[in-house]
Amino acid sequence: MSKGCGKLDEAGTAEIADERYPTKLNKIINLFESLPEDERRETLVSYADNAKKQEPREGENFDLVDVRKDEECMDTVGVYLHVDENGKAHIRMTLGPEVQTLTRAMASVLCKGLEGCTPQEILDLPSNFVTRIVGAELIRIRSQTIYYVLTRIKGICKVYLDRQRMAAVA
Amino acid sequence: MATHPTQYANPEALVETDWLEKHLKDDAMRIVESNEDVLLYDTGHIPGAVHVDWRADLQDPVIRDYISPEKFAELCSRNGITPDTTCIFYGDKANWWACYALWAFRLFGHEKVKILNGGRDKWKAEQRPMTREVPKYPQTNYPVPKKRFDKEIRAFFDEALAQSKSGKPLIDVRSPGEYKGEITHMPEYPQEGVLRGGHVPGAKSMPWKTATKDDATFKPAEELAKIYFDQCGVKPDTDTVVYCRIGERSSHTWFVLTYLLGLDKVRNYDGSWTEWGNKVGAPIEKGA
């Protein structure tokens, strides 16, 4: 298990918070926190540019696929989950053309940062790291869909775990 | 049957994409991009365009109001704008936010303003040049505006209430679901913290996008006149108040009424539904 996928309280300090995030995500958080505002914006745009690379690749198989257009998002968002034989999650995402830049960036960050976590670790992940990546300057009511992407990823992990539990009981 | 104008009252308030591409290096003008998507400008913009962020640049960071005249002068100065500069606004979502920025510039008395017809969507669809290079213009010394034109183009709660009570034209430009009170947020948007649904009594529903065509350009004058004069009961010599949730969609309608139909008594109630729907005791009508 990646260090830092355990459970800590929501109001943890930066040091404590570091331990509650997967190593890859933690590195991304640290990177963003070290950047001045203009470079943070550039890096977010760079992640947004790379969102296409997080789409499913030819030949990949998934345990669960959830593609839908919700009320709270501008366009269709697809989440694809594969859990390997070691119980590690691999997430791919597709984003419709109307999805906002910040949301694209967050999709890219999450696909990379959560790579190799277990579905349960993803489900337990607190959402307060989002503001540490995006920064207060860009957070506003109409950019709340940055949380939507995390919610969707957690949602598919929850469905996966529920099905596993039901299968175990049956 | 009423006759309607066949031309815009102020056709010079619009520039077309092909014209703008030929005038990108015109020193007398400044192209200004304003979007809802906070990072869209950073992903690419019209060469030479500066960015005005509707919240960070135009709104007071603490209280719910616009920036001070001093801050407006600073904003213009750092973007190389003088009172003589023609600002050509464009942006995402059929210029919804561009019209908001234009309205805010008018609030501070900047007179030379235009909209790029079709905005960012049309420019991009026509595969016109885009760049990520952020332009740098020599700092100007924009004089601090002596006043903000709140009285002329902005309505506050009490004025919107008076408008409602007097039966003068009030246009609610939100979606039909918001107007009827079925939903308290825009479709496809998060809830922005309003407690009650419905509309200001007496307001007519005319969603802002009714004024645009599929390519994000404005509809012809005659069609606009039918929409606003015939369907909304707007009259050229009567005060009109427009509103939405925070005053941004209604800025688009304000632009249509003021510049394209030539009405000079139109005010934007920017407190809009996020103020009205939360205000204790404010009268509300529900349904169509």
Side-chain angles (χ1 to χ4, degrees), chain A residues 41-42 44-46 48-49 69-74 98-102 105 136-145, chain B residues 36-40 42-43 51 53-56 92-93 96-97 132 185-192 245-246 248-249:
Chain A
R41 289 179 79 107
E42 278 174 29
L44 282 168
V45 169
S46 174
D49 286 344
K69 161 81 184 72
D70 280 331
E71 267 288 289
E72 60 264 51
C73 196
M74 291 280 178
E98 297 299 318
V99 171
Q100 297 217 348
T101 311
L102 210 46
E137 176 76 14
L138 294 176
I139 292 279
R140 49 195 71 177
I141 287 172
R142 288 187 185 175
S143 55
Q144 296 298 301
T145 46
Chain B
E36 180 173 74
D37 183 334
V38 288
L39 284 175
L40 199 54
D42 303 68
T43 68
H51 183 218
D53 184 315
W54 65 273
R55 196 186 75 171
D92 60 358
K93 303 194 184 307
W96 162 5
W97 296 91
R132 287 192 176 185
H185 61 91
M186 274 188 279
E188 302 174 347
Y189 281 79
Q191 164 62 273
E192 285 178 309
R245 289 180 62 77
I246 59 169
E248 84 299 1
R249 283 176 286 180

Side-chain angles (χ1 to χ4, degrees), chain B residues 12 41 55 59 120 202 248:
Chain B
E12 71 283 359
Y41 173 86
R55 196 186 75 171
Q59 300 201 337
R120 187 183 164 101
E248 84 299 1

Side-chain angles (χ1 to χ4, degrees), chain A residues 101-153:
Chain A
T101 311
L102 210 46
T103 310
R104 289 180 185 286
M106 193 50 64
S108 199
V109 162
L110 291 174
C111 286
K112 286 182 180 175
L114 301 179
E115 173 67 20
C117 282
T118 67
Q120 188 62 51
E121 287 165 352
I122 293 172
L123 206 54
D124 292 342
L125 195 68
S127 60
N128 59 356
F129 69 91
V130 172
T131 48
R132 295 172 63 193
I133 289 174
V134 174
E137 176 76 14
L138 294 176
I139 292 279
R140 49 195 71 177
I141 287 172
R142 288 187 185 175
S143 55
Q144 296 298 301
T145 46
I146 49 176
Y147 293 102
Y148 169 77
V149 176
L150 179 61
T151 305
R152 288 286 306 277
I153 291 174

